[in-house]
Amino acid sequence: MINIHEVIETNNMIEHDNLDVRTITIGISLLDCACSTVSETCVRITEKILRIAGNLAKTAEDISKEYGIPIVNKRISITPISLVGASCCKTPADYVEIAKALDAVAGQVGVNFLGGYSAVVSKGLTQSDKLLIASIPEALACTSRICSSVNIGSTKTGINMDAVRLMGETIKETARLTADKDSFGCAKLVVLCNAPDDNPFMAGAFHGVTEADAIINVGVSGPGVVKYALEKVRGESFEVLCETIKRTAFKITRVGQLVAQEASRRLGIPFGIIDLSLAPTPAIGDSVAEILEEIGLEKAGAPGTTAALALLNDQVKKGGVMASSYVGGLSGAFIPVSEDQGMIDAARCGALTIEKLEAMTCVCSVGLDMIAIPGKTPASTIAGIIADEAAIGMINQKTTAVRIIPVEGKDVGDTVEFGGLLGYAPVMPVNGYSCEAFISRQGRIPAPIHSFKN
């Protein structure tokens, strides 16, 4: 039973510590919407999304009002569009038409983002995949709610280096086509390794083919709650530190579980998973970097940062899995630079570099996230950064990702404004030595030896 103390405690976490449910995401399979023409495919997609997700925004608002729990985002994830459009799309322009239809229906339904303008190419590229990837820059330039992702590797298959090279070029072109918005299109594009089928967080969300026809996935947050809890045990042992994080993660996840069950019941859609990630925002006090500093670092990026982040990530998972039978997605701590005030401050003063961020991604939930770099950075260098991050994911059997923004016309020392939850970022320096000859090789990096487990 929930006692009055727990009710008061949860209320304080919401009012003072930035606790929120970051997103309710409905995953929808669009495989049955594939037709022989683009126009008919768009019609079927629109009809199905309206039918399944038409009440999502209102339901989320009702739950938020009734329980007093902020629900920040309402989102939709869909089957990777390279699969849906394979039978009807003959040119990149055909895929752009589908993107426009998706953007329109996302606006009708009232969601913040729709993810799944995606392809899964970890072992090879079909013609449909190539067309989809070629369409991404234009699709992201002419829509406002569409998010795109491409999975280029996995522990089981290795890394598709042809796709890695292609994505370096695609990111550069997306930056160019959205230069008037500080290359904002790249903030809606992520390159993944070991992408999960049930991720509710953008920009990497898509509805995997292993999922049911429709599903409710909920992403919780609460870095501010963890930081506040750690302030009370400042100077205590590692045992006390870990127990505090675990207990706090449990409480945060229980809030998400309540929202997920209510949304599932009211919408008549099965509950999928809780993603118990600590997802920061630019709000003061809602920062993963500040948690690391509370643990004992002068600044995020100082020696000990990777160890502190590993501790945090592990304890969040241990506490969260006790609070819900169905934990999935990414689940852990996010380190997006532009969305975390502490990370922004650390990057500005030089404590945090891209190389240190890469080391941190070995032990946290995702990867190099929301990092602004000079617009003059070559496509091959971006591809090299993607390859490095994918290698970490492949070898360590974890999800890694790159969401990097080569901002047209900006250089190191400049600042880029994205607004809202995406925040702002200092343009960070990139290693200037070339990897062109490496990236120009064709084929794929084989799967590691420990992938053979049959």
Side-chain angles (χ1 to χ4, degrees):
M1 292 290 290
I2 297 176
N3 59 43
I4 189 64
H5 173 73
E6 290 172 310
V7 173
I8 293 171
E9 185 179 46
T10 302
N11 186 58
N12 286 335
M13 288 191 294
I14 291 167
E15 285 194 359
H16 304 297
D17 306 327
N18 298 308
L19 173 63
D20 59 51
V21 169
R22 187 53 49 86
T23 179
I24 298 178
T25 301
I26 294 184
I28 303 173
S29 173
L30 298 183
L31 288 174
D32 57 352
C33 297
C35 294
S36 58
T37 67
V38 174
S39 58
E40 182 60 25
T41 298
C42 290
V43 168
R44 289 196 181 188
I45 286 172
T46 299
E47 289 175 349
K48 185 165 188 180
I49 291 175
L50 286 173
R51 184 175 77 251
I52 292 176
N55 292 323
L56 171 59
K58 183 180 185 305
T59 299
E61 289 164 9
D62 290 345
I63 293 171
S64 182
K65 288 177 183 175
E66 289 177 33
Y67 289 92
I69 300 169
I71 300 173
V72 180
N73 293 295
K74 284 72 68 177
R75 296 166 174 171
I76 293 170
S77 64
I78 57 171
T79 309
I81 284 296
S82 68
L83 300 177
V84 181
S87 59
C88 66
C89 293
K90 308 304 179 188
T91 67
D94 289 339
Y95 273 110
V96 173
E97 288 306 307
I98 294 180
K100 291 176 180 177
L102 288 168
D103 197 50
V105 73
Q108 275 185 269
V109 172
V111 295
N112 310 87
F113 289 114
L114 185 150
Y117 196 78
S118 307
V120 179
V121 297
S122 50
K123 201 170 183 180
L125 290 145
T126 66
Q127 181 61 21
S128 179
D129 295 328
K130 292 175 183 177
L131 292 174
L132 184 282
I133 292 172
S135 77
I136 287 173
E138 178 63 29
L140 295 182
C142 71
T143 61
S144 58
R145 293 177 174 86
I146 300 304
C147 290
S148 181
S149 62
V150 178
N151 190 76
I152 49 80
S154 73
T155 299
K156 274 291 188 183
T157 63
I159 302 170
N160 183 346
M161 291 300 291
D162 294 329
V164 168
R165 182 175 63 254
L166 195 56
M167 289 313 299
E169 296 164 358
T170 301
I171 289 169
K172 283 287 287 184
E173 181 63 8
T174 303
R176 187 185 71 80
L177 290 186
T178 56
D180 60 327
K181 301 174 184 175
D182 278 339
S183 300
F184 178 70
C186 296
K188 301 184 291 173
L189 173 59
V190 62
V191 186
L192 294 140
C193 178
N194 286 323
D197 284 351
D198 55 7
N199 169 25
F201 285 104
M202 303 297 167
F206 62 82
H207 187 72
V209 295
T210 63
E211 299 289 312
D213 194 54
I215 210 82
I216 293 277
N217 296 324
V218 167
V220 297
S221 187
V225 181
V226 175
K227 180 179 182 293
Y228 177 72
L230 293 182
E231 287 174 0
K232 297 179 180 178
V233 296
R234 194 173 289 168
E236 296 282 356
S237 69
F238 280 106
E239 181 180 359
V240 172
L241 181 73
C242 292
E243 282 299 312
T244 302
I245 296 170
K246 261 196 311 190
R247 291 173 184 272
T248 307
F250 177 88
K251 295 169 186 174
I252 292 169
T253 307
R254 290 301 284 176
V255 172
Q257 177 84 356
L258 169 65
V259 170
Q261 290 175 336
E262 270 301 297
S264 174
R265 182 182 66 81
R266 297 185 189 198
L267 291 166
I269 298 172
F271 162 48
I273 58 95
I274 297 288
D275 187 314
L276 49 93
S277 296
L278 294 181
T281 73
I284 301 299
D286 200 26
S287 161
V288 169
E290 289 178 12
I291 296 175
L292 301 178
E293 291 165 11
E294 186 59 45
I295 289 174
L297 305 172
E298 183 179 1
K299 277 287 183 187
T305 296
T306 305
L309 183 59
L311 179 155
L312 172 64
N313 209 55
D314 185 54
Q315 299 309 312
V316 166
K317 291 178 188 289
K318 286 174 178 173
V321 296
M322 292 296 292
S324 175
S325 297
Y326 298 102
V327 171
L330 299 164
S331 291
F334 287 4
I335 52 170
V337 173
S338 77
E339 299 172 27
D340 186 314
Q341 187 60 52
M343 294 286 179
I344 294 167
D345 294 341
R348 273 181 162 168
C349 73
L352 193 62
T353 64
I354 290 179
E355 288 75 18
K356 184 58 178 178
L357 283 163
E358 182 182 294
M360 293 163 68
T361 65
C362 297
V363 299
C364 75
S365 286
V366 198
L368 296 171
D369 197 15
M370 289 303 292
I371 296 171
I373 62 173
K376 64 186 179 185
T377 307
S380 59
T381 297
I382 295 171
I385 292 170
I386 293 169
D388 284 344
E389 198 60 35
I392 290 171
M394 176 184 72
I395 296 296
N396 292 294
Q397 305 179 65
K398 69 184 293 294
T399 302
T400 52
V402 172
R403 185 163 49 149
I404 199 163
I405 305 155
V407 187
E408 288 281 309
K410 295 291 177 73
D411 210 335
V412 176
D414 293 331
T415 298
V416 189
E417 295 279 350
F418 299 119
L421 285 176
L422 297 177
Y424 68 100
V427 177
M428 299 178 71
V430 175
N431 191 311
Y433 287 93
S434 175
C435 60
E436 177 75 42
F438 173 65
I439 294 300
S440 295
R441 294 176 183 270
Q442 295 184 336
R444 57 191 172 94
I445 295 175
I449 189 66
H450 59 252
S451 69
F452 301 108
K453 293 185 176 181
N454 290 339

